[in-house]
Amino acid sequence: MVSDLFTLPAFVAYLALGAVYFVAFLVTYIWITPQREMALIRDGNLSAAISLGGAAIGFVQPLASAIAHSVNLLDLALWGLVAWVVQLLTHFVLRVIVRDLRAKIEQDVRSVALFVAVVAACIGAINAAAMTY
């Protein structure tokens, strides 16, 4: 039974890198969006929470795929970066498609937030599937 724990250091390393990437993605995403998600969420704006949650899910899906399929930490770091870039590009495309996205999120227009979250999650799922090579 104790011999089964020989992979524990690898587990901890992959988990730690995944967690660092997740937090760093959220910080970057919040930084690049024109609205102040955390302040809006604290004020009870559900749209901000929905759109941020969708982006997080859209990032974590391919990150999880990268963790499951990478051969080492460098491989994970590179594919995690790909997941990061794809999700940020998704956000920029959504800002072009949805007119005045910032105002709609700030006004708590939940239909827009749900659309943005679903698109982000769908792109994340496609990205994750593409990483299964």
Side-chain angles (χ1 to χ4, degrees), residues 2 23 25 29 32 39 42 46 50 53 86 88 110-111 117 133:
V2 173
V23 170
F25 170 78
Y29 185 86
I32 66 153
R42 276 191 294 275
L46 187 57
I50 291 169
V86 168
L88 293 181
R110 294 173 188 165
S111 59
Y133 42 93

Side-chain angles (χ1 to χ4, degrees), residues 55-100:
I57 291 167
F59 173 68
V60 166
Q61 290 178 85
L63 181 63
S65 180
I67 290 169
H69 297 99
S70 63
V71 295
N72 56 43
L73 288 174
L74 178 59
D75 192 39
L76 168 57
L78 292 173
W79 284 108
L81 186 58
V82 169
W84 195 327
V85 169
V86 168
Q87 199 55 231
L88 293 181
L89 288 174
T90 299
H91 172 73
F92 286 121
V93 168
L94 283 166
R95 281 173 57 181
V96 171
I97 292 171
V98 179
R99 280 197 188 135
D100 209 8

Side-chain angles (χ1 to χ4, degrees), residues 3 5-6 19-20 23 31 34 37 50-51 55 58 66-69 76 80 86 96 102 110-111 114 118 122-123 125:
S3 65
L5 295 177
F6 77 96
V20 166
V23 170
W31 181 67
E37 275 95 350
I50 291 169
S51 62
I67 290 169
H69 297 99
L76 168 57
V86 168
V96 171
R102 174 187 183 170
R110 294 173 188 165
S111 59
L114 182 59
V118 168
C122 289
I123 294 299

